[in-house]
Amino acid sequence: MLDKVNELIGEVSNFNTTSKEELEAFRIKYLGKKGILNDLFAEFKNVANDQKKEFGQALNTFKNTAENKINDLRSSLEEAALSGTALNDLTRPGEPLKIGSRHPISIVRNQIIDVFSRIGFTVSEGPEIEDDWHNFTALNLPEYHPARDMQDTFFIEQNPDILLRTHTSSVQTRYMENNEPPIRTLSPGRVFRNEDISARAHCIFHQVEGLYIDTDVSFADLKQTLLYFTKEMFGKSKIRLRPSYFPFTEPSAEVDIYWGLETETDYKITKGTGWLEIMGCGMVDPNVLKNANIDPTKYSGYAFGMGIERIAMLLYQIPDIRMFYENDVRFLEQFKSIN
Ligand code: DAH
């Protein structure tokens, strides 16, 4: 009997097949209800008592060998069925993974940073929740200064000292406090104004502030820098500086670029003049330098500030500022090819 079982064990371990049907027949033959294993178990009672232990062990080995064999063959059959299909075909084109795109605000911000970084400006950031000093007072806008009304401020919890910054000029103040001249910094960021939302204005938008402080910085340096910027950014090389007023700069100017009057859109956006306003700028007011402990008799500087949405609207002919914040993928997907 024992010999017979050992023979069967050998038989089972040598079995091999590449056919599902043969494997199933094998299972039925050895492990099925009326299979060999059950027959052998039935014979157990006829085995002499002193051989029962050895016989029982041999039966278990037989059973395990058969079961393992079946499992092994089953998995290699499954593997074989998969090979030759998609998973193993390395020449198959990849799954079309949907890649996202940068938001147009990020694209334009990065372009502006890129242009200025080539002439030595580094990026700095400041908090969106500001105090009165950094957003107003240090920038030559003391309490009751009428120009504060120009900036419809969101205050936090009725505390007149804590507010959402109304412009990124607040980062100027912080940067000057913590760095010695020469200073060349660019501060992009989000700003907040309590304004009605329309196609042209939003209560949350983005600005980039520029600040340059050194010995002998002149208005001519400012103009040359702006000319360089408009050439790089828009491919336009005609600008004009219109006298204007900002409390933190003296003299102050608004920068227009000559956009041209070639298309109907050009007429529309320039109101028929060909000129477009793109930013404010000026020579840093000596009071602002003093407030930051920079000696205005030794140093001078220029500053400028522009709205990123406005620049993006011009570059990509976006008619409504609200489109930036709606997250409509049909809008966002149009910026896929741009980095
Ligand atoms: N802070 C101004 C604003 O939000 C923009 C600005 C104008 C910034 C002139 C400047 C500047 O640095 O020199 O409207």
Side-chain angles (χ1 to χ4, degrees):
M1 275 306 261
L2 203 58
D3 288 349
K4 196 181 159 198
V5 177
N6 284 333
E7 205 178 296
L8 282 168
I9 293 175
E11 210 176 291
V12 166
S13 7
N14 288 332
F15 177 73
N16 198 8
T17 181
T18 51
S19 129
K20 251 183 162 174
E21 290 74 28
E22 268 181 41
L23 181 62
E24 183 58 9
F26 173 83
R27 189 190 64 80
I28 292 169
K29 180 177 169 193
Y30 292 93
L31 301 181
K33 254 192 185 154
K34 294 181 182 156
I36 292 174
L37 180 72
N38 277 347
D39 285 351
L40 290 170
F41 271 120
E43 286 199 37
F44 196 71
K45 57 180 185 304
N46 302 329
V47 175
N49 269 348
D50 60 346
Q51 286 178 22
K52 270 202 159 104
K53 190 180 169 199
E54 212 179 337
F55 185 69
Q57 279 171 349
L59 272 191
N60 267 335
T61 314
F62 171 59
K63 183 179 173 234
N64 291 338
T65 317
E67 277 174 0
N68 290 342
K69 181 54 111 183
I70 289 167
N71 287 339
D72 288 353
L73 285 176
R74 199 172 275 158
S75 33
S76 48
L77 280 180
E78 273 164 16
E79 251 171 55
L82 279 181
S83 72
T85 66
L87 279 180
N88 277 2
D89 180 1
L90 299 180
T91 63
R92 242 176 134 240
E95 285 288 314
L97 275 185
K98 265 204 152 192
I99 49 167
S101 51
R102 269 191 219 287
H103 193 279
I105 297 295
S106 305
I107 294 171
V108 172
R109 182 201 53 206
N110 291 348
Q111 284 174 347
I112 297 171
I113 291 175
D114 192 51
V115 170
F116 281 103
S117 69
R118 276 181 260 148
I119 52 170
F121 282 76
T122 55
V123 174
S124 56
E125 284 181 348
E128 290 176 349
I129 298 174
E130 257 306 358
D131 51 34
D132 179 284
W133 172 257
H134 293 97
N135 195 78
F136 290 128
T137 307
L139 288 164
N140 210 25
L141 270 147
E143 213 182 333
Y144 306 120
H145 192 291
R148 282 194 183 205
D149 290 346
M150 282 162 42
Q151 316 220 341
D152 310 277
T153 312
F154 283 117
F155 293 96
I156 295 191
E157 289 176 1
Q158 269 109 57
N159 182 342
D161 192 42
I162 307 294
L163 44 92
L164 294 178
R165 67 180 177 195
T166 59
H167 51 183
T168 43
S169 304
S170 58
V171 189
Q172 267 195 39
T173 328
R174 289 190 175 268
Y175 197 87
M176 282 190 281
E177 271 173 9
N178 299 316
N179 296 274
E180 305 258 305
I183 286 171
R184 285 185 205 94
T185 190
L186 207 62
S187 320
R190 219 160 31 154
V191 299
F192 308 83
R193 289 194 199 170
N194 193 354
E195 271 183 53
D196 289 339
I197 296 172
S198 69
R200 305 191 52 85
H202 211 283
C203 56
I204 303 178
F205 57 103
H206 298 78
Q207 287 188 332
V208 175
E209 182 83 12
L211 178 69
Y212 187 118
I213 297 172
D214 205 341
T215 48
D216 304 317
V217 178
S218 72
F219 204 90
D221 296 324
L222 169 61
K223 184 165 184 191
Q224 198 54 41
T225 306
L226 297 176
L227 195 56
Y228 158 77
F229 170 71
T230 50
K231 268 189 200 163
E232 295 293 309
M233 197 70 195
F234 304 100
K236 315 254 182 203
S237 50
K238 200 159 139 191
I239 62 171
R240 72 178 180 199
L241 297 167
R242 260 181 306 109
S244 183
Y245 172 76
F246 299 102
F248 25 89
T249 43
E250 181 58 38
S252 305
E254 267 160 326
V255 185
D256 298 339
I257 56 175
Y258 189 69
W259 195 255
L261 280 174
E262 275 157 36
T263 67
E264 209 177 309
T265 319
D266 293 348
Y267 263 91
K268 242 190 230 161
I269 60 176
T270 68
K271 298 190 184 100
T273 64
W275 291 95
L276 268 181
E277 185 201 317
I278 54 160
M279 66 171 108
C281 68
M283 301 307 290
V284 181
D285 193 290
N287 281 337
V288 174
L289 295 176
K290 252 188 258 166
N291 286 337
N293 288 326
I294 294 177
D295 182 357
T297 61
K298 198 168 156 202
Y299 293 106
S300 54
Y302 61 71
F304 54 86
M306 63 189 115
I308 302 185
E309 278 81 352
R310 182 166 169 75
I311 307 265
M313 286 167 87
L314 291 175
L315 275 178
Y316 301 120
Q317 316 236 317
I318 297 165
D320 190 319
I321 196 170
R322 289 168 290 199
M323 294 173 112
F324 289 118
Y325 319 112
E326 283 164 355
N327 281 334
D328 185 331
V329 284
R330 291 168 302 178
F331 171 70
L332 297 174
E333 275 183 343
Q334 294 177 65
F335 299 92
K336 251 186 187 152
S337 57
I338 316 165
N339 271 311

